[in-house]
Amino acid sequence: MTERTLWHPVAQSPEVVTAPLPVQLLDQALVLWRNAEGLVQAFNDRCPHRGARLSMGRVENGSLECPYHGWQFSSGGQCVKVPAVPDFVPPPSQCVKSFEVQEAYGLVWVRLEASDSQLPVFAAEADAHLRKLNCGPYDVAASAPRIIENFLDMSHFGFVHEGWLGSRDATAMASYKVEATANGVLATGCKAVQPQSNLHSTQAAEVEYTYEVTAPYTALLTKIPEEGSSKQGWRESIGLFICPVTAESSRVWFRLAVADFESSDEQLQTFQHTIFVQDQPVLESQLPKALPLDPRAEMHSSADRMSAAYRRFLKSQAITFGVC
């Protein structure tokens, strides 16, 4: 597996409408558009005729039209019309590179090279008891692995999220378990005393989470209900889905699966926004921007077991984009 053979989120599904949408993935410029059947198409954002950006064009008669000479490309990338030569039937060789697309979790996912890779799993999506919505996107001047590692880290709560997810008076990390899984890494028994762990918290409480990496640039947080809670048995989750735009910049979405049906979308998104914008300047300050996989490159403590396991996972997967 390489980064190019994995599925990556590139846009929210509602963003892809009638007008072409430019996006970037793994340093490659793409254009997204919907065909007459409503299916998202992903093309190389460069017309093979004279190199113009196809994203500057429009969708015409169910095909993507180049803004320069009006060449039209149908689903799959085949050229179907050359206006300057109306009777010409373009051969199969006259096409634009197209890529595989899926829609899931409210996002459009693209794979740049064919493989047997699957979409990252977000088990909470299938739980009808939970409400789902997306937060973002956030454009972050940090590598995708740095952002994932921050999401997995609880020891920064008392400093970066003081008064929210942590307190300077309670920074000691309880022991937790880390294990490898078929798709990544799992941490269980992760506990933290949090002043305001969610939108409706009115007092500090010890919260227990599980963290799971299910793909190189995807991580999940699952909240374990407190003993005696009315939500016993319900496990709220947050999925972190990242598009590695370049090796040092990323586009980030959070997928919430929560048991809160009273708050508005805006209220839930505002709370998540408050937490992430506390992280963002710290993430953007880190050097090197790429995540070091050599254990000697940075110092570590026993509180960093999950991040150490994540780095080993990236190395085992031969990931090279966003790491050093």
Side-chain angles (χ1 to χ4, degrees):
M1 290 288 180
T2 68
E3 298 87 347
R4 294 180 64 84
T5 63
L6 299 174
W7 290 99
H8 302 282
V10 293
Q12 291 201 136
S13 289
E15 289 183 278
V16 188
V17 287
T18 54
L21 178 70
V23 298
Q24 188 169 332
L25 170 63
L26 297 171
D27 279 328
Q28 183 159 347
L30 307 176
V31 56
L32 306 179
W33 61 285
R34 288 189 187 272
N35 64 15
E37 290 72 41
L39 300 176
V40 178
Q41 305 294 304
F43 289 176
N44 186 18
D45 195 8
R46 177 184 177 276
C47 181
H49 175 221
R50 288 296 182 266
R53 289 271 183 163
L54 290 170
S55 57
M56 295 172 61
R58 64 181 184 178
V59 177
E60 186 76 8
N61 299 320
S63 295
L64 181 59
E65 183 181 89
C66 176
Y68 197 6
H69 298 94
W71 284 34
Q72 292 183 7
F73 299 89
S74 66
S75 302
Q78 177 62 45
C79 181
V80 292
K81 183 177 181 180
V82 178
V85 192
D87 297 329
F88 176 62
V89 178
S93 59
Q94 288 196 313
C95 61
V96 61
K97 176 67 175 175
S98 66
F99 304 95
E100 296 174 278
V101 178
Q102 291 193 62
E103 292 188 73
Y105 316 136
L107 300 170
V108 175
W109 298 73
V110 172
R111 183 167 63 185
L112 296 181
E113 292 182 9
S115 74
D116 59 359
S117 65
Q118 303 296 312
L119 284 176
V121 174
F122 185 44
E125 191 73 22
D127 190 337
H129 294 105
L130 300 177
R131 169 188 179 186
K132 292 88 180 181
L133 71 155
N134 286 350
C135 304
Y138 295 94
D139 291 311
V140 187
S143 66
R146 282 288 196 190
I147 300 169
I148 292 290
E149 186 175 76
N150 172 75
F151 184 76
L152 303 173
D153 180 277
M154 299 182 75
S155 60
H156 75 283
F157 284 179
F159 304 97
V160 178
H161 306 298
E162 185 176 10
W164 293 83
L165 303 185
S167 165
R168 288 174 180 266
D169 300 325
T171 57
M173 287 281 296
S175 180
Y176 60 93
K177 181 181 178 182
V178 177
E179 58 188 304
T181 67
N183 299 311
V185 188
L186 175 68
T188 54
C190 305
K191 298 180 180 181
V193 176
Q194 298 186 334
Q196 186 167 355
S197 63
N198 61 57
L199 181 61
H200 301 293
S201 295
T202 57
Q203 60 184 18
E206 183 178 69
V207 180
E208 181 176 346
Y209 296 116
T210 67
Y211 288 92
E212 186 173 7
V213 173
T214 60
Y217 307 131
T218 298
L220 312 178
L221 176 159
T222 301
K223 183 178 180 180
I224 311 299
E226 297 175 51
E227 199 71 36
S229 166
S230 62
K231 297 177 181 177
Q232 198 69 31
W234 292 13
R235 296 197 167 201
E236 298 182 314
S237 293
I238 299 176
L240 171 60
F241 302 120
I242 303 178
C243 173
V245 177
T246 72
E248 297 186 351
S249 64
S250 307
R251 177 160 279 199
V252 175
W253 290 271
F254 294 94
R255 178 73 164 171
L256 308 187
V258 298
D260 181 352
F261 288 87
E262 291 74 41
S263 302
S264 67
D265 286 359
E266 184 179 6
Q267 287 173 312
L268 292 170
Q269 290 165 336
T270 296
F271 181 83
Q272 187 62 40
H273 176 80
T274 298
I275 301 302
F276 188 68
V277 296
Q278 292 170 346
D279 283 313
Q280 187 166 350
V282 178
L283 281 165
E284 294 182 336
S285 78
Q286 287 181 283
L287 295 174
K289 286 190 175 295
L291 183 70
L293 299 189
D294 184 340
R296 299 165 297 181
E298 294 183 329
M299 295 182 182
H300 312 277
S301 78
S302 60
D304 301 319
R305 288 190 300 280
M306 184 55 168
S307 67
Y310 172 56
R311 294 182 185 205
R312 290 194 297 272
F313 167 67
L314 292 178
K315 194 168 186 178
S316 73
Q317 298 296 299
I319 295 299
T320 61
F321 201 83
V323 301
C324 60

